[in-house]
Amino acid sequence: MQGLSVVIVGGGAGLGALIARMAVENGAAALGIIDINAEAAQEALAPAREAGIPAAFAACDIRTADAAHAALNKVADELGGIDTLVNSAAIYPRKPILEITDADWDASNAINVKGSYHMMVAAIRRMQGQDPKGHVRGRIVNITSVDAFKAHPQNAHYAATKAAVVSLTRSMAQEVAPDGILVNSVAPAGMATQKARELGFLGELAKASPLGRGGEPQEMAEWVLMAGGPKNTYMTGENIIVSGGYIYA
């Protein structure tokens, strides 16, 4: 991320917060966090402040265009621009398929799909007005999931939203390619997180992977940094599956 201004949506916790820290460690010139939890967003900016680079945050419910665009513009204004947007905000509801309600569908779609769309549109409008660095005016990376490609019980509405984001990534990539904006997504498999350890999922993750283990969050984040970083000058419209061989697509 050397020299880039990076904004992470959903960067207050989990994978998003890890990506934020790694972006700073990999030379980001500025860091912005957009999260519904203002306190978490502030904490996630600590590595940027310690590194002495510009840091900005906005507390935002991304389900409406007005709120999402206002948050993105606030952060981009404070940072002096945006080179890379990472869409990491999502909810992960679990419910048997015959019990999913309209409210469940609406919540999943509003955050996982529509919220990502709003943030992409806001970022693209900013990036279109920027001078290119080489061939590229900006990069967008959406966090999807292997669930978009492989069914799991009690997971239908989440999986459907992640499949939608894969499709949305491709559509966006095609439309903004002439502007020099690259749009890709990264689809992690199950990760060996602290929550997975607490819930006893590590054994299941190990069995599911030919490598015999679940992926470490840092291993997933590395691919986000690659797709959103300065070395990516030509790849767009791709969904990078990081599953340890769990699926091939």
Side-chain angles (χ1 to χ4, degrees):
M1 305 305 253
Q2 191 69 41
L4 300 184
S5 177
V6 181
V7 177
I8 302 171
V9 184
L15 183 60
L18 174 61
I19 294 167
R21 177 174 63 78
M22 290 176 62
V24 174
E25 293 172 351
N26 283 270
L31 179 67
I33 301 288
I34 297 173
D35 199 286
I36 197 168
N37 185 327
E39 183 177 352
Q42 288 276 32
E43 291 177 3
L45 286 173
R49 295 192 173 110
E50 291 168 5
I53 64 173
F57 86 98
C60 175
D61 183 336
I62 65 175
R63 291 177 294 181
T64 65
D66 287 348
H69 291 199
L72 188 285
N73 287 323
K74 172 185 180 296
V75 168
D77 285 344
E78 292 182 24
L79 299 180
I82 173 173
D83 297 307
T84 298
L85 172 75
V86 178
N87 265 321
S88 186
I91 59 172
Y92 182 59
R94 294 186 61 79
K95 186 175 282 191
I97 195 167
L98 300 183
E99 298 177 15
I100 302 171
T101 65
D102 282 351
D104 295 327
W105 275 111
D106 290 345
S108 296
N109 280 314
I111 296 172
N112 297 0
V113 183
K114 194 169 65 169
S116 294
Y117 168 78
H118 291 327
M119 299 309 308
M120 281 193 281
V121 169
I124 287 166
R125 287 177 173 164
R126 296 290 301 225
M127 292 171 178
Q128 285 174 326
Q130 297 178 164
D131 292 332
K133 296 179 179 179
H135 296 286
V136 181
R137 278 195 170 86
R139 298 169 180 86
I140 296 173
V141 186
N142 298 316
I143 307 300
T144 55
S145 170
V146 296
D147 293 358
F149 304 97
K150 184 173 177 61
H152 296 89
Q154 301 187 33
N155 197 22
H157 46 331
Y158 173 78
T161 64
K162 289 303 183 179
V165 175
V166 172
S167 178
L168 186 59
T169 297
R170 293 168 178 162
S171 296
M172 287 285 199
Q174 187 174 45
E175 290 206 29
V176 301
D179 297 311
I181 299 170
L182 308 178
V183 187
N184 294 285
S185 57
V186 174
M191 290 181 282
T193 61
Q194 183 59 37
K195 186 173 183 180
R197 292 183 177 89
E198 292 170 357
L199 296 175
F201 288 165
L202 290 189
E204 293 180 30
L205 295 178
K207 287 180 182 178
S209 170
L211 297 180
R213 63 180 179 85
E216 296 295 332
Q218 182 169 340
E219 293 175 304
M220 311 300 171
E222 291 283 3
W223 286 97
V224 176
L225 268 62
M226 186 282 294
K231 290 185 179 180
N232 177 24
T233 59
Y234 198 62
M235 181 179 69
T236 194
E238 294 291 347
N239 181 68
I240 304 167
I241 295 175
V242 190
S243 73
Y246 173 57
I247 65 168
Y248 304 101

